[in-house]
Amino acid sequence: MKLGFFGIGLCLIPLAAAAAPVATPYANNNGALPPSSQYTGPLFKLSHAYPAKVAAPAMPWRDAIQHGRITVQNASAYAEALKAAVGKDMPTLLFDYAHWDAAARGWYNEPWLGSANGKYGGREAIHGMYVGTDELDASLFAASGLTKPISTYVLTYYDKVAAQTLNHVWSASAGMKPSVTSTSTQFAEGSLIVKAAFVTAGPDVWPVMAGTQVWPLYITTNATTGGSTLPKVTNTYLMQFDIIVKDSQSAPDTGWVFMTLVYDQNVKPGPNGIWDQMVVLGAQWGNDPQANSTVNPAAPLLQNWNNPAAPAYGGATFGWGNRLSGPNDGAMNDIAYKDGVKQQLVKNAQDSSCMSCHSTAQWNPKTNTMPSFLLPATSNPPQIASKQYIVSPPPGSPDWLRWFQNRKGNVPMDAGSIAADFDMVLAFKSLPLWYTATTGKTHALTGFDLRGKRMPPRAGK
Ligand code: HEC
């Protein structure tokens, strides 16, 4: 069965229009505040005084590889330098929330994610998190003992160098009329962006989460418990922490290095507590277009390093040919494709990676769309075959390889679009949400999570 996308869209519009509060660019949250009987701590404050001009930063990660190129051999040293570079601020955010002041420390958030996608979508009030992936099937992590499906919640911060780009896109119009040009969307060298991912599965349903940081969130969507009609304060568990950096010197093919940390209960906490238990899962600085991992699964990856010492659950969802991707990122998906005339359905196929997915970040300002979906798909929004399988080009085919090319961040995947320099929040979240809020027309991408799954109808909508 094909999902009647526009049919569903049309029947939602009148309801959403009647119920949804007026969206504003810099809302702190979706409007649902936890009662003091459930929570009395600090609430999330959106940091949006984006700086206009910042001096070029020191880049100790370049020193870590002697100002050469990042390679499979030195990627570990580079990744540790990146972790150290954010390590003076992030433990405060993660473990000492009462003392976290993002603006004072020079970290910033994107606009338009406050109230999104129905009454209780968007940022929840306590930590400003929103649904990243919903839901991750328990079968993906069966080997590490997961017994229930998961929802993941995410939160992204741009450092002050990166936030200059938010300034260029949003500040002149106070968020109302984004400037999306081939220059405004580009990030300065040394820009750092981080993203924390917490999961709804605690140690009772996923033993690998034992001992990790717990954040209470005020939420309804929860695949682990089945969710609730009204938001309630619910524990979530720190699983993954991404760090990406604009560094054209070390990674000239794409201009970026992507890396991620995952929680490992078997590492001893050190002076920085749980931060010391966040282990590098790997680093990626290109898509390895020369390696057709379907035709030749043994083809070596030259722009990717996976840490053999990372906990096994972290690598359970590596992408195509084991290109880097974390457990939050959904690089394994149920896909349907035609093999000659035969229809194939593959569950949990490796079909993406950090840089494959992010290299699709682009926006066509004439049509207000991101022309290709973020996963290999025959259309955007993706066509959905039976049982929620995404209709995909055949793995390894020329069409499929469009998602595994190396492009610099100012070269769009599709002609006519403005490349968004790998920034997925801009292309997949902020711009579609801005469009929906300011035109009254629900943008086709706002209802999807990053795996092409329809977000469930929000409770209370
Ligand atoms: C299947 C697609 C997909 C994969 C794979 C993926 N991401 Fe993302 N990423 C997204 C989307 C979509 C967003 C926007 C926010 C959101 O919805 O979570 C995002 C946001 C981010 C951000 C915030 C800045 C930005 O670009 O918007 C960072 C940092 C990030 N991802 C890092 C990573 C890293 C590191 C990996 C691999 C370990 C990874 N991502 C894998 C889709 C993906």
Side-chain angles (χ1 to χ4, degrees), residues 195 242 259 329 353-354 357-358 422-425 428-429:
K195 173 173 163 184
D242 300 328
M259 76 92 138
D329 300 315
S353 76
C354 304
C357 192
H358 278 255
F422 291 81
D423 192 326
M424 265 294 164
V425 172
F428 192 65
K429 295 277 172 182

Side-chain angles (χ1 to χ4, degrees), residues 213-237:
Q213 180 67 21
V214 179
W215 269 9
L217 305 181
Y218 193 54
I219 54 175
T220 51
T221 300
N222 186 335
T224 307
T225 61
S228 51
T229 340
L230 292 173
K232 59 180 184 195
V233 176
T234 305
N235 283 341
T236 59
Y237 303 84

Side-chain angles (χ1 to χ4, degrees), residues 365-430:
K366 289 213 181 76
T367 55
N368 283 305
T369 52
M370 209 178 92
S372 292
F373 193 59
L374 33 65
L375 301 169
T378 52
S379 63
N380 189 20
Q383 217 185 30
I384 308 295
S386 60
K387 295 189 286 181
Q388 293 290 307
Y389 283 52
I390 293 175
V391 180
S392 164
S397 66
D399 257 3
W400 168 280
L401 295 176
R402 290 180 58 227
W403 275 265
F404 294 92
Q405 297 304 309
N406 283 342
R407 283 182 302 276
K408 293 203 173 64
N410 59 1
V411 181
M413 181 170 179
D414 295 289
S417 286
I418 303 288
D421 205 2
F422 291 81
D423 192 326
M424 265 294 164
V425 172
L426 179 70
F428 192 65
K429 295 277 172 182
S430 290

Side-chain angles (χ1 to χ4, degrees), residues 110 113 130-132 154 156 158 193-195 240 242-244 258-260 281 284 324-326 328-331 333 352-355 357-358 374-375 422-426 428-429 450-451:
E110 333 75 351
L113 279 79
Y130 55 92
V131 175
V154 298
T156 293
Y158 295 68
I193 314 177
V194 299
K195 173 173 163 184
Q240 183 178 335
D242 300 328
I243 308 170
I244 65 174
F258 276 55
M259 76 92 138
T260 195
L281 179 63
Q284 192 186 22
L324 183 64
S325 188
N328 168 61
D329 300 315
N333 295 284
S352 189
S353 76
C354 304
M355 293 202 97
C357 192
H358 278 255
L374 33 65
L375 301 169
F422 291 81
D423 192 326
M424 265 294 164
V425 172
L426 179 70
F428 192 65
K429 295 277 172 182
L450 57 76
R451 301 174 71 216

Side-chain angles (χ1 to χ4, degrees), residues 435-453:
Y435 178 87
T436 299
T438 54
T439 64
K441 289 181 256 176
T442 303
H443 193 280
L445 287 178
T446 54
F448 288 99
D449 79 355
L450 57 76
R451 301 174 71 216
K453 302 240 179 207

Side-chain angles (χ1 to χ4, degrees), residues 40-67:
T40 52
L43 298 180
F44 176 75
K45 278 196 282 305
L46 192 88
S47 171
H48 61 90
Y50 313 132
K53 189 116 189 74
V54 175
M59 298 186 228
W61 44 90
R62 288 184 176 173
D63 302 337
I65 59 167
Q66 289 79 44
H67 290 257

